[in-house]
Amino acid sequence: MNIICLDKINSTNAYAKENIEKFPDKTIISADIQTNGRGRFNRNWVDMGKGNLFMSIILKHSDSFEAVYSNLTQYMSVVLCRVFEEYGLLPEIKWPNDVLIKGKKIAGILCEAIYSGKIFKGLILGIGVNLNADADRLALVKDKVVTALNIELSREYEDKNLFIEKLLYEFFKNYDSFLCNGFASIKDEYINRCNFLGKEVKVQLYNTTLEGEALHINNNGELILKEHDKEVAISAGDIL
Ligand code: BTN
């Protein structure tokens, strides 16, 4: 594994994307400060101050996009939960891949498939974890429904490297099995941590919002929503 630690960067995902040709499979890019972090649906990811985790993993397992890659962020959400559980916390997953503690977001994941024209170059799996939130920066987050490890542990969390070590160990421990067996290999663990099943939810898709009961997660990791009398399988979106 090749680990590159940067002091300051606009976005570890953007840096990984610009340099994807130079780096081998499983290269890790981590930064101490991230000035323009990107989130899902063109949102931004706020740097909460000193000691937070901004990391991108370059993955070049194949020369073409494989269906299993669509579930990689869900795999990472389970991995993150396992790590938070080592700290005695009770993380939950909000479909598809937000990790929450007591209903507040503590980690976000953004996976980008990189192409040069039609040629698939690899994946960039970006992870942001709020390890230490500074009160002023916390106030910058629009919806405020966020938390951080220091808040949940009621102490400063000073060991970012240990957290990264645990995360990478957990990620690569079952990565090959995940690539072979797909979402099925994590389905039970994923569902056990879902906080929305059986509830009425609103789901934001790219250009519309759906409302209904979140019934279950199917074998492809899709959310099955009961909207009026019909069941809809949703593969990409956000529970509001
Ligand atoms: C989300 O929940 O919207 C996803 C947030 C992903 C943020 C991480 S921080 C490291 C990596 N670099 C980025 O610019 N974004 C991801």
Side-chain angles (χ1 to χ4, degrees), residues 2-238:
N2 182 23
I3 304 191
I4 293 164
C5 301
L6 306 168
D7 294 336
K8 186 174 175 177
I9 196 74
N10 54 352
S11 148
T12 56
N13 266 36
Y15 178 86
K17 183 176 175 178
E18 278 154 31
N19 295 289
I20 194 161
E21 306 266 17
K22 287 188 212 149
F23 295 128
D25 183 29
K26 300 182 184 165
T27 296
I28 318 295
I29 315 281
S30 138
D32 287 339
I33 300 173
Q34 184 171 255
T35 54
N36 193 18
R38 307 201 301 225
R40 297 174 63 237
F41 292 102
N42 285 328
R43 288 187 292 242
N44 51 20
W45 182 259
V46 177
D47 182 332
M48 295 280 177
K50 198 167 165 274
N52 287 290
L53 187 153
F54 312 106
M55 191 170 93
S56 299
I57 309 179
I58 296 178
L59 296 168
K60 295 177 163 181
H61 167 72
S62 60
D63 293 338
S64 59
F65 188 90
E66 294 183 4
V68 67
Y69 299 159
S70 309
N71 300 109
L72 201 58
T73 62
Q74 289 170 308
Y75 173 68
M76 182 48 104
S77 69
V78 169
V79 164
L80 277 161
C81 285
R82 288 197 206 127
V83 175
F84 286 123
E85 283 157 8
E86 288 185 36
Y87 289 86
L89 299 172
L90 282 176
E92 293 175 321
I93 298 171
K94 182 163 77 113
W95 182 88
N97 55 48
D98 283 348
V99 180
L100 315 180
I101 309 253
K102 297 183 206 132
K104 297 182 174 183
K105 184 159 164 174
I106 193 163
I109 306 162
L110 173 69
C111 188
E112 300 183 76
I114 308 302
Y115 288 85
S116 168
K118 287 187 178 158
I119 303 168
F120 177 68
K121 292 289 169 187
L123 298 170
I124 294 170
L125 183 61
I127 305 107
V129 184
N130 298 333
L131 295 180
N132 285 290
D134 157 315
D136 295 344
R137 305 278 181 103
L138 202 58
L140 293 176
V141 180
K142 281 197 196 102
D143 53 20
K144 311 268 188 308
V145 196
V146 291
T147 191
L149 195 55
N150 64 326
I151 296 173
E152 297 306 323
L153 298 179
S154 306
R155 63 173 166 90
E156 205 171 318
Y157 182 76
E158 287 172 336
D159 217 339
K160 180 166 101 171
N161 288 341
L162 177 67
F163 193 97
I164 291 179
E165 214 176 275
K166 288 175 185 285
L167 186 63
L168 293 175
Y169 172 76
E170 278 299 329
F171 181 82
F172 285 112
K173 193 170 74 176
N174 299 314
Y175 176 63
D176 290 339
S177 152
F178 166 75
L179 290 178
C180 284
N181 305 308
F183 187 70
S185 68
I186 52 153
K187 185 178 175 188
D188 289 348
E189 273 203 81
Y190 181 88
I191 287 179
N192 285 340
R193 293 173 174 105
C194 282
N195 71 345
F196 53 86
L197 292 177
K199 295 186 183 159
E200 289 295 315
V201 293
K202 276 190 190 172
V203 186
Q204 176 76 58
L205 311 186
Y206 279 99
N207 46 11
T208 180
T209 305
L210 299 180
E211 278 189 64
E213 186 189 348
L215 288 181
H216 63 96
I217 302 292
N218 69 13
N219 289 340
N220 299 323
E222 295 167 320
L223 170 63
I224 306 300
L225 190 77
K226 186 174 180 195
E227 213 206 6
H228 308 297
D229 278 339
K230 64 178 199 294
E231 291 186 13
V232 196
I234 308 174
S235 56
D238 233 2

